[in-house]
Amino acid sequence: MENQAKQNETILVVDGDIITRTVIADYLRHCGYRVLEANDAHEAQLALQHQAFHVDLILSDVNLPGDMTGFQLSNWIREHQPEIKVLLSAAEERTVKAAGDLCEDGPHLAKPYDPAIVLDHIRRLRGGSAQR
């Protein structure tokens, strides 16, 4: 039953590092989620504005390529699609703390992260029991 519920949920993974993005996206697919991938904030915005895609949660790196950071993408999402939960990740400890402070509805992740820990955070966010 839990796997069927996951199949109805879509996660958008936004990360400029193709290896990191592919590994976590494949892991989440294996766990039963539909997963979209974006290299940068611009691609993420295009996916979010496309009528064919319904995204439930975004997992984004803070340091994205291009002219928009993960923080800025998170703010854009809050303004345009506030129902979408955002989970930010970063390689530096202080950036992780700042991401956690910005992303008030969820936990924060330090990279490199264990895919099982990411899945745990996603489950808590989707279940409404995320703790800070």
Side-chain angles (χ1 to χ4, degrees):
M1 186 69 132
E2 181 181 344
N3 206 21
Q4 185 178 9
K6 289 179 195 174
Q7 290 175 355
N8 294 325
E9 295 181 11
T10 301
I11 298 172
L12 174 59
V13 177
V14 187
D15 198 312
D17 181 339
I18 191 166
I19 294 171
T20 300
R21 186 177 71 238
T22 301
V23 168
I24 194 63
D26 287 348
Y27 179 79
L28 293 171
R29 285 183 188 104
H30 176 75
C31 292
Y33 292 96
R34 282 182 293 194
V35 180
L36 303 174
E37 297 179 46
N39 179 62
D40 58 28
H42 178 69
E43 284 183 9
Q45 288 174 317
L46 290 174
L48 291 170
Q49 293 171 338
H50 197 283
Q51 296 294 330
F53 303 125
H54 169 78
V55 174
D56 299 291
L57 183 136
I58 295 174
L59 171 60
S60 177
D61 188 20
V62 170
N63 299 310
L64 296 173
D67 60 356
M68 184 181 266
T69 67
F71 290 117
Q72 292 167 318
L73 175 62
S74 178
N75 286 331
W76 183 88
I77 292 165
R78 280 189 180 170
E79 288 179 28
H80 295 91
Q81 296 185 350
E83 71 282 0
I84 297 176
K85 302 227 184 249
V86 178
L87 183 57
L88 294 172
S89 66
E92 296 180 32
E93 184 65 34
R94 72 183 162 179
T95 308
V96 171
K97 179 173 178 354
D101 291 343
L102 175 66
C103 191
E104 65 191 33
D105 292 333
H108 50 270
L109 296 171
K111 288 172 70 177
Y113 40 69
D114 180 335
I117 292 172
V118 173
L119 181 61
D120 180 59
H121 285 299
I122 288 169
R123 285 179 176 154
R124 286 192 289 154
L125 272 175
R126 297 304 301 148
S129 61
Q131 308 223 346
R132 293 190 15 133

